[in-house]
């Protein structure tokens, strides 16, 4: 391989690294969801939801999801009510390709003293892959309406997530000259990689405030959502502001902006712009 070809490969790897790392720093995506709700009997309803979400500055799909939930009112008055929910969801999540630097160490004698030196030896690049996830949840929500315009709600949700097995491949690139990062790559070795199944439980707390503007189709809202891992160490924050746009008594459009951040790699940090449609079936 000539020098131009070698440098082209190295440049492509560097660009892939920047693209993959961008999702860990800050990302922008869009969320599209469709929801339908049907009253089963007095105090019990069933809802069905479908979702599509993008990532990597909306250039790639981040997930597809579909799920359903039962809602049961335990206590209901004009100003205060309590509701429990039981739901299940299937998620297909797209994990982006990523490249990581590979470092090796060796002992060198510097001034007659043996010293361990760490140096860049190449790159390990993992291909993107899709992974299925089952999510079951049970929640308890309390809502309070002090007036016709204001409403407040607090929801506590336990989520159990089962991540199914997946497979991908890793290409290993090594440099010809470890002292020169632009040196030729002397070989490429592809290995299959199995991603193990795992189970994760999380407790989520969500506080929401909404205002019904008089003589307007707009019902703006704001919410704060905090998730805490129960069988693993993680924390996740979601800050959302948006509005429902009433079409009629049965349907509404939902537009929102969300900023989310977490200390895990389940979802990329950054900004999300969402659009949804909700309908109540007779």
């Amino acid at each position: 391989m000539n020098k131009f070809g070698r440098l082209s490969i190295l440049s492509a790897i560097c660009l892939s690294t920047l693209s993959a790392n961008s999702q860990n720093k800050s990302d922008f995506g869009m969320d599209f969801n469709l929801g339908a709700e049907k009253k089963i009997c007095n105090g019990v309803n069933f809802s069905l939801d479908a979702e599509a979400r993008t990532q990597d500055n909306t250039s790639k799909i981040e997930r597809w999801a579909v799920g359903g939930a039962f809602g049961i009112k335990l206590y209901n008055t004009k100003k205060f009510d309590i509701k429990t929910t039981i739901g299940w969801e299937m998620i297909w999540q797209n994990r982006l390709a990523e490249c990581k630097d590979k470092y090796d160490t060796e002992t060198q004698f510097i001034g007659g003293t043996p010293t361990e030196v760490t140096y860049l030896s190449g790159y390990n690049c993992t291909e993107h892959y899709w992974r299925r996830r089952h999510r079951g949840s049970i929640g308890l929500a309390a809502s309070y309406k002090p007036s016709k315009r204001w409403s407040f709600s607090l929801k506590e949700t336990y989520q159990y997530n089962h991540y199914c097995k997946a497979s991908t491949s890793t290409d290993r690139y090594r440099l010809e000259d470890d002292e020169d990062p632009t040196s030729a790559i002397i070989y490429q070795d592809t290995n299959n990689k199995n991603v193990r199944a795992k189970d994760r439980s999380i407790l989520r707390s969500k506080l929401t405030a909404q205002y019904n503007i008089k003589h307007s189709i707009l019902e703006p809202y704001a919410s704060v959502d905090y998730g805490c891992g129960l069988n693993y160490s993680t924390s996740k924050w979601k800050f959302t502001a948006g509005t429902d746009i009433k079409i009629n008594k049965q349907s509404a459009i939902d537009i929102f902006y969300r900023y989310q951040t977490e200390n895990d790699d389940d979802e990329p940090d950054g900004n999300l712009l969402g659009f949804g449609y909700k309908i109540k079936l007779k």
Side-chain angles (χ1 to χ4, degrees):
M1 183 183 295
N2 58 34
K3 184 176 181 180
F4 178 79
R6 294 166 178 172
L7 292 178
S8 297
I9 294 176
L10 183 60
S11 299
I13 293 174
C14 292
L15 290 174
S16 299
T17 305
L18 290 174
S19 176
N21 286 340
S22 66
Q23 68 162 335
N24 296 325
K25 296 178 181 178
S26 182
D27 194 15
F28 175 76
M30 299 188 72
D31 184 277
F32 304 93
N33 58 80
L34 177 65
E37 183 179 308
K38 173 68 175 178
K39 183 178 179 180
I40 305 300
C41 60
N42 189 28
V44 180
N45 61 62
F46 176 75
S47 60
L48 187 65
D49 297 280
E51 179 187 23
R53 188 181 298 179
T54 66
Q55 63 180 331
D56 198 18
N57 294 318
T58 73
S59 64
K60 298 179 180 66
I61 290 292
E62 194 269 332
R63 71 175 59 184
W64 300 98
V66 62
F70 286 95
I72 304 171
K73 286 191 175 183
L74 304 178
Y75 182 78
N76 187 25
T77 65
K78 288 184 178 180
K79 289 190 175 182
F80 184 76
D81 66 65
I82 299 176
K83 180 181 180 180
T84 185
T85 57
I86 301 174
W88 174 88
E89 189 177 12
M90 172 69 82
I91 301 171
W92 295 265
Q93 191 168 20
N94 182 18
R95 308 296 298 181
L96 293 180
E98 63 176 350
C99 286
K100 295 183 178 180
D101 295 341
K102 170 66 175 177
Y103 292 91
D104 287 333
T105 59
E106 67 177 18
T107 301
Q108 298 180 2
F109 287 87
I110 301 176
T113 302
T115 305
E116 282 198 352
V117 177
T118 302
Y119 61 92
L120 177 69
S121 61
Y123 310 88
N124 290 342
C125 297
T126 302
E127 293 290 329
H128 88 95
Y129 62 94
W130 286 89
R131 192 177 195 184
R132 289 185 298 115
R133 187 200 324 176
H134 301 271
R135 174 188 285 172
S137 63
I138 181 170
L140 184 65
S143 61
Y144 174 61
K145 294 182 179 180
S147 67
K148 291 183 178 180
R149 303 298 170 200
W150 284 102
S151 63
F152 303 90
S153 66
L154 175 63
K155 185 176 183 180
E156 298 291 329
T157 306
Y158 167 78
Q159 291 182 339
Y160 166 77
N161 296 272
H162 174 71
Y163 294 76
C164 301
K165 295 186 294 183
S167 62
T168 182
S169 61
T170 299
D171 296 335
R172 300 186 300 175
Y173 299 85
R174 296 299 177 262
L175 302 179
E176 186 177 55
D177 183 358
D178 53 79
E179 295 182 358
D180 180 10
T182 63
S183 66
I185 299 169
I186 58 174
Y187 71 87
Q188 172 183 349
D189 183 17
T190 302
N191 288 334
N192 291 328
K193 178 183 178 182
N194 293 320
V195 183
R196 296 180 179 178
K198 63 181 179 181
D199 299 296
R200 287 187 169 180
S201 298
I202 190 171
L203 182 64
R204 294 177 60 178
S205 303
K206 184 177 182 180
L207 179 64
T208 304
Q210 187 164 24
Y211 183 73
N212 184 350
I213 301 176
K214 189 175 182 180
H215 303 308
S216 173
I217 62 174
L218 301 180
E219 294 186 9
Y221 64 87
S223 67
V224 179
D225 189 328
Y226 175 72
C228 177
L230 299 179
N231 65 339
Y232 70 112
S233 177
T234 189
S235 61
K236 179 189 298 184
W237 287 95
K238 295 180 180 180
F239 304 92
T240 306
T243 184
D244 288 337
I245 304 174
K246 294 179 290 183
I247 299 175
N248 50 47
K249 291 183 178 181
Q250 285 76 41
S251 59
I253 295 173
D254 179 25
I255 300 176
F256 67 87
Y257 161 79
R258 175 179 299 152
Y259 175 76
Q260 59 187 31
T261 179
E262 63 174 303
N263 61 356
D264 193 30
D265 61 353
D266 264 3
E267 300 176 10
D269 290 352
N271 309 280
L272 195 68
L273 183 62
F275 301 90
Y277 177 74
K278 299 179 289 185
I279 184 170
K280 291 185 178 181
L281 302 175
K282 294 182 180 181

